[in-house]
Amino acid sequence: MLTWIRRPGWRIAMTVAVALVIGGVLSLVFWGMLLPEDPDALPAAESGRLFLLFAVDVLAGLTALGLLALALLPLDDGGPRPHPMTALVPGLIVVAASAVSTLASPAALIVVGSFAARRPRFWFPVAAGLCFAAGWFYTFVVDPSTEVLRFWEFAAIMAAVLGITGLIGWGRRSRRSLIRSLRQEAVSARREREAHAEQARAAERTRIAREMHDGLAHQLSLISLHAGALEYRRDLDAETIRRTSDVIQQTARSASQELRSVLTVLREQDAGTTPQPTLAAIGELVSAARSAGTPVELTDDDGLAGASAHQPSDVTIRALYRIVQECLTNARKHAPGQPVRLTLAGGPAHGIRVLAGNGVAAAPAGGADPGFGLIGLRERVELLGGRLRVDCSGDRFTVDAELPWLK
């Protein structure tokens, strides 16, 4: 709603304005009750005394209202923190001014509440005691003719007013502490989430590098083998030499692609080698998921989940395998028993598209992780130049990935 009201400067200005209005009304009521109906009937000495009291009341009140702005300087708005005395001393002066001014009384109570809300706890009794003394001084010393209360009645009223003011201030302190704590928790949770996401991306990059280790080593060994054959076999005919050169060229191109992929990831540590997935392993993944109780409907018109006449690059096969694996794992963890529809399509001309969808369970399975696997999956796909989209709308969770063929 009016966001400018939330700015510290505007809040202080509005508080001073409210104190001025309330103090002005109290002052008018007080002086209206004090002055007689016929001012000319007053003795000159009494008229002079009342005029002096009125002048002091107005001057002290206006001074207190001016100092109230300093007393309310923000201490925790995120900007440069003022010196504690910059707001503390004006606040005490405002409270002291209420000893000679009814106009300053609302400002004094605002300062007492501010001390309860923002200052160390020992300052509230100091401000409250000073305010009590100022009220007593005005009521029983400055103008004894207005003495209509006995001391115990005055003390009970002041204790009630100061007690309510303190409760309001302590309530604001508790609310401010709660908001600060919630903000810190939100910042901490966001940083933790970002750290987990970064760890997931780093883990996926390390996994990619580990998977590429065997394939790249194998291709380099083939190049070395065929190049050695050309060097030591002097009796080869031209056709054999041409075919061997073609094999070296194709293997070198494939190894170059693998090497570029390795160099784009951040390999934090050396890892052991593992068997490389193949297209046939994707079909095995689906069969294993069905055996574990997940109903999987596979559509693979292009034969990507088995022996295919056209094979994409090893890095594409690994990415395809990981996408299918992650989708089936997520379905089993977050929506157990829900049917999964898996569609594989593509070829050398258009790349590969993977579309996996499953229903959303009524309640998440206990112990399911928050989905950092998808972050690593997106990292892998984007490193290959592909795209991955995740949609969870309504009662359906869908993963749509596009991969380049990279042959």
Side-chain angles (χ1 to χ4, degrees):
M1 205 176 142
L2 302 174
T3 56
W4 55 270
I5 295 180
R6 299 175 185 171
R7 298 174 183 173
W10 281 105
R11 289 202 304 265
I12 292 175
M14 291 182 63
T15 303
V16 173
V18 170
L20 174 61
V21 171
I22 297 176
V25 171
L26 289 177
S27 185
L28 289 175
V29 171
F30 173 78
W31 285 102
M33 294 173 59
L34 185 63
L35 294 175
E37 296 182 359
D38 185 10
D40 295 335
L42 287 174
E46 183 65 16
S47 296
R49 189 182 70 85
L50 291 178
F51 177 78
L52 179 60
L53 287 177
F54 179 77
V56 171
D57 191 322
V58 172
L59 291 176
L62 294 177
T63 302
L65 290 170
L67 293 175
L68 178 61
L70 290 177
L72 297 179
L73 283 175
L75 300 179
D76 51 3
D77 63 344
R81 292 176 62 89
H83 192 276
M85 293 295 112
T86 303
L88 184 62
V89 173
L92 296 176
I93 294 175
V94 170
V95 176
S98 65
V100 292
S101 173
T102 54
L103 184 61
S105 298
L109 290 178
I110 290 174
V111 169
V112 172
S114 175
F115 275 34
R118 305 190 303 163
R119 297 290 172 183
R121 297 187 183 276
F122 67 87
W123 279 111
F124 171 73
V126 173
L130 182 60
C131 189
F132 183 92
W136 173 85
F137 184 82
Y138 191 89
T139 303
F140 298 104
V141 177
V142 172
D143 192 11
S145 63
T146 62
E147 186 178 345
V148 293
L149 295 175
R150 286 174 288 186
F151 177 78
W152 69 269
E153 294 173 333
F154 166 81
I157 294 174
M158 287 295 294
V161 171
L162 293 174
I164 293 173
T165 303
L167 289 175
I168 294 174
W170 290 325
R172 291 185 59 197
R173 177 192 291 269
S174 299
R175 179 176 177 272
R176 184 179 288 110
S177 299
L178 176 61
I179 292 175
R180 186 184 298 111
S181 175
L182 292 176
R183 285 176 178 171
Q184 292 175 349
E185 289 179 4
V187 171
S188 176
R190 187 188 45 149
R191 290 176 177 172
E192 184 177 356
R193 177 83 181 179
E194 291 174 352
H196 286 167
E198 185 60 32
Q199 289 174 2
R201 284 190 288 267
E204 191 66 21
R205 288 174 175 235
T206 301
R207 183 171 183 170
I208 294 170
R210 183 172 62 247
E211 291 171 353
M212 291 175 176
H213 179 275
D214 282 354
L216 185 58
H218 175 69
Q219 290 166 344
L220 292 176
S221 65
L222 285 178
I223 293 174
S224 176
L225 177 65
H226 286 87
L230 290 178
E231 180 181 1
Y232 291 104
R233 292 290 302 275
R234 305 295 183 180
D235 57 338
L236 298 177
D237 57 77
E239 180 63 21
T240 303
I241 293 175
R242 186 188 64 79
R243 288 198 303 268
T244 304
S245 299
D246 287 342
V247 171
I248 293 175
Q249 182 183 19
Q250 294 294 333
T251 306
R253 184 181 298 113
S254 178
S256 177
Q257 291 178 351
E258 292 274 356
L259 184 59
R260 283 197 299 269
S261 299
V262 171
L263 293 178
T264 57
V265 300
L266 299 177
R267 187 174 186 179
E268 296 181 356
Q269 59 184 9
D270 293 333
T273 61
T274 58
Q276 300 299 301
T278 62
L279 289 178
I282 297 175
E284 297 172 1
L285 269 180
V286 174
S287 300
R290 289 170 178 164
S291 300
T294 301
V296 182
E297 178 184 336
L298 175 62
T299 301
D300 182 22
D301 296 335
D302 298 318
L304 292 174
S308 175
H310 301 285
Q311 294 276 335
S313 66
D314 291 341
V315 66
T316 301
I317 293 175
R318 287 193 291 267
L320 180 60
Y321 180 88
R322 280 284 295 120
I323 293 171
V324 175
Q325 183 184 50
E326 185 65 28
C327 291
L328 294 178
T329 300
N330 279 342
R332 184 177 67 253
K333 291 170 62 178
H334 300 287
Q338 295 288 331
V340 180
R341 294 180 181 176
L342 180 63
T343 302
L344 305 178
H350 307 292
I352 299 175
R353 184 176 182 185
V354 184
L355 185 63
N358 57 269
V360 178
D369 83 25
F372 290 109
L374 290 175
I375 296 176
L377 209 60
R378 177 174 282 109
E379 183 80 3
R380 176 187 290 264
V381 171
E382 290 178 353
L383 284 171
L384 293 179
R387 293 188 303 171
L388 185 138
R389 293 180 291 272
V390 178
D391 180 46
C392 186
S393 57
D395 58 350
R396 197 78 182 159
F397 181 81
T398 304
V399 176
D400 187 359
E402 296 179 7
L403 293 169
W405 189 264
L406 292 181
K407 183 60 180 176

